[in-house]
Amino acid sequence: MDQGSHCTAERELLEAVSRITTSSTTSPSDEENQPKADISCQVRKENPRKDDMQVSSATQGPNSSMTTKELQEYWRNEKRQCKQIKLLFEIPSTRIVEHHLSKYVMYKIIILQTGSFDSNKSVIERRYSDFEKLHRNLLEEFSEELEDVTFPKKSLTGNFTEEIINERKLAFKDYLRLLYSMKYIRRSKKFIDFLTRPELQEAYGCLRGGQYTKALEILVEVIGLQERLTRGNPAAVVPTLCAIVVCHKDLENPASAFEYGEKALSRLHVHTSHRYYMPLLETMITLAYELGKDFLSLQEKLEEWKKKKDPVRVFTLKELAVREYVR
């Protein structure tokens, strides 16, 4: 392809990206007419003017130096974010856990995406005290939204009877469904943390202990749910993607590490000030060189970033990863 055709193709992609980004922003009146199920292509936040600036920078600033392949990946990501996403919560079973000083019920929660196959489900376990803590935390920020929500109270006796357990299974299922139906709650960090943080803490603990295979197993399991919960904020999953890169790299799986690294970079193309951006670029350059891939374009991005930023001490990708979710 000659230079003129290449430039034309890039301009067409830029225009397409601009149209998608513009069409994905809904007005308040449109939002009121939508059902309570999540329409993830809504990208309006608390500060509309700030959003407009971000959209402008995404379509005019960093994208102007992106390659055709990167623009195509950005376009695909934008289209995916405009799909309707709705999650369903099921609590099919429980188990009673007994320690020498405590006894409690663990509720198995299956989270499904509507219209998906079983491969898209996530399975977690939470106990009554986890739900109780979530409700208490949410009340601090969303007391008005939750004023009519009844949380199942703990009984002094009978908490382990089949009748009480079954009642709570249904109550917690309805509770999660109701929380997810409220836009601001389902997007809140407190709600997302309830569904993902315990697993991420365990995974990062394994990573810090050098148990990369176990850490990778947990991270790959949780990343799908995390992506669905934070679909309006692609950069939110970058730390998890980078942790997966670190695990694959230390397990000497450079091809898999590079694959997940590309996913992380695609989410940072308009967030070059992100703390993971430079360490990720450095790691990707090393992986690309090892795999015989083009590393010069990555090197150019790194040099361009260094020219724009003041020289400061930057952690390696692994150093950043082991600092996540430190209790």
Side-chain angles (χ1 to χ4, degrees):
M1 182 182 292
D2 58 33
Q3 186 174 1
S5 301
H6 182 75
C7 292
T8 301
E10 287 199 353
R11 283 198 300 272
E12 290 175 351
L13 279 167
L14 281 168
E15 292 172 359
V17 169
S18 178
R19 288 196 298 273
I20 292 173
T21 307
T22 303
S23 64
S24 68
T25 305
T26 58
S27 66
S29 58
D30 292 336
E31 196 168 274
E32 291 175 359
N33 294 327
Q34 292 173 339
K36 287 186 177 180
D38 188 16
I39 307 293
S40 63
C41 64
Q42 298 170 4
V43 296
R44 294 183 64 90
K45 298 182 178 64
E46 296 299 325
N47 190 339
R49 292 184 180 179
K50 183 178 179 182
D51 261 5
D52 293 341
M53 291 172 63
Q54 291 173 338
V55 170
S56 175
S57 65
T59 56
Q60 296 176 11
N63 284 348
S64 61
S65 61
M66 291 168 64
T67 65
T68 301
K69 180 181 178 181
E70 289 171 332
L71 284 167
Q72 289 172 336
E73 178 64 22
Y74 176 70
W75 189 6
R76 284 193 291 269
N77 286 336
E78 289 295 323
K79 289 172 69 178
R80 282 197 293 267
Q81 288 186 40
C82 285
K83 292 180 181 179
Q84 290 189 356
I85 297 297
K86 183 178 179 181
L87 299 182
L88 301 176
F89 299 87
E90 298 289 341
I91 304 181
S93 61
T94 62
R95 63 187 179 95
I96 297 177
V97 178
E98 292 191 62
H99 294 301
H100 63 288
L101 292 177
S102 64
K103 181 180 179 180
Y104 53 87
V105 180
M106 293 293 288
Y107 296 85
K108 181 179 180 180
I109 306 169
I110 297 179
I111 305 162
L112 294 161
Q113 181 175 319
T114 55
S116 67
F117 297 102
D118 286 346
S119 60
N120 287 326
K121 74 179 180 182
S122 299
V123 181
I124 61 176
E125 283 189 317
R126 299 293 182 267
R127 54 189 291 189
Y128 180 94
S129 60
D130 296 324
F131 282 97
E132 191 176 39
K133 181 180 178 181
L134 169 66
H135 190 69
R136 190 166 58 248
N137 290 340
L138 289 176
L139 282 173
E140 295 175 358
E141 189 175 353
F142 305 104
S143 58
E144 185 175 345
E145 289 86 347
L146 295 173
E147 61 182 358
D148 295 325
V149 177
T150 301
F151 187 82
K153 295 181 179 179
K154 181 176 286 188
S155 304
L156 294 176
T157 59
N159 287 300
F160 301 101
T161 64
E162 184 177 354
E163 181 181 1
I164 293 296
I165 291 174
N166 286 333
E167 285 179 1
R168 286 185 180 163
K169 279 169 54 178
L170 295 175
F172 285 143
K173 173 186 172 180
D174 289 341
Y175 177 70
L176 290 173
R177 177 189 57 78
L178 185 58
L179 293 182
Y180 185 77
S181 72
M182 302 178 190
K183 180 181 68 175
Y184 295 108
I185 290 182
R186 70 170 170 263
R187 294 179 181 177
S188 71
K189 184 178 184 300
K190 293 174 181 178
F191 181 68
I192 294 172
D193 278 354
F194 168 78
L195 296 171
T196 61
R197 189 177 181 88
E199 287 70 25
L200 288 172
Q201 284 179 327
E202 181 183 1
Y204 278 96
C206 292
L207 191 157
R208 284 188 289 273
Q211 299 175 282
Y212 301 115
T213 300
K214 185 176 180 181
L216 188 59
E217 181 182 337
I218 301 171
L219 290 168
V220 170
E221 177 71 23
V222 77
I223 187 67
L225 175 60
Q226 195 179 22
E227 286 180 322
R228 292 194 291 273
L229 290 168
T230 62
R231 187 166 283 260
N233 180 18
V237 300
V238 166
T240 307
L241 288 171
C242 288
I244 294 175
V245 171
V246 169
C247 289
H248 275 304
K249 189 172 183 297
D250 280 17
L251 289 169
E252 299 183 357
N253 299 324
S256 296
F258 191 83
E259 177 187 349
Y260 278 95
E262 284 189 314
K263 292 179 181 179
L265 273 181
S266 72
R267 288 157 171 79
L268 292 180
H269 57 82
V270 294
H271 302 283
T272 57
S273 61
H274 196 285
R275 60 197 171 96
Y276 271 87
Y277 183 72
M278 183 179 174
L280 178 59
L281 271 180
E282 291 177 331
T283 299
M284 290 295 285
I285 290 169
T286 301
L287 290 169
Y289 183 80
E290 182 179 349
L291 294 167
K293 295 180 178 290
D294 172 32
F295 64 89
L296 293 178
S297 59
L298 294 169
Q299 186 70 48
E300 289 173 0
K301 287 183 179 180
L302 182 60
E303 295 302 324
E304 182 181 349
W305 186 92
K306 288 181 178 179
K307 289 178 183 178
K308 294 179 180 178
K309 302 293 181 181
D310 294 329
V312 293
R313 181 176 183 271
V314 177
F315 293 113
T316 65
L317 196 67
K318 187 172 183 178
E319 287 173 338
L320 277 179
V322 298
R323 283 167 169 75
E324 295 283 349
Y325 292 95
V326 176
R327 293 177 184 267

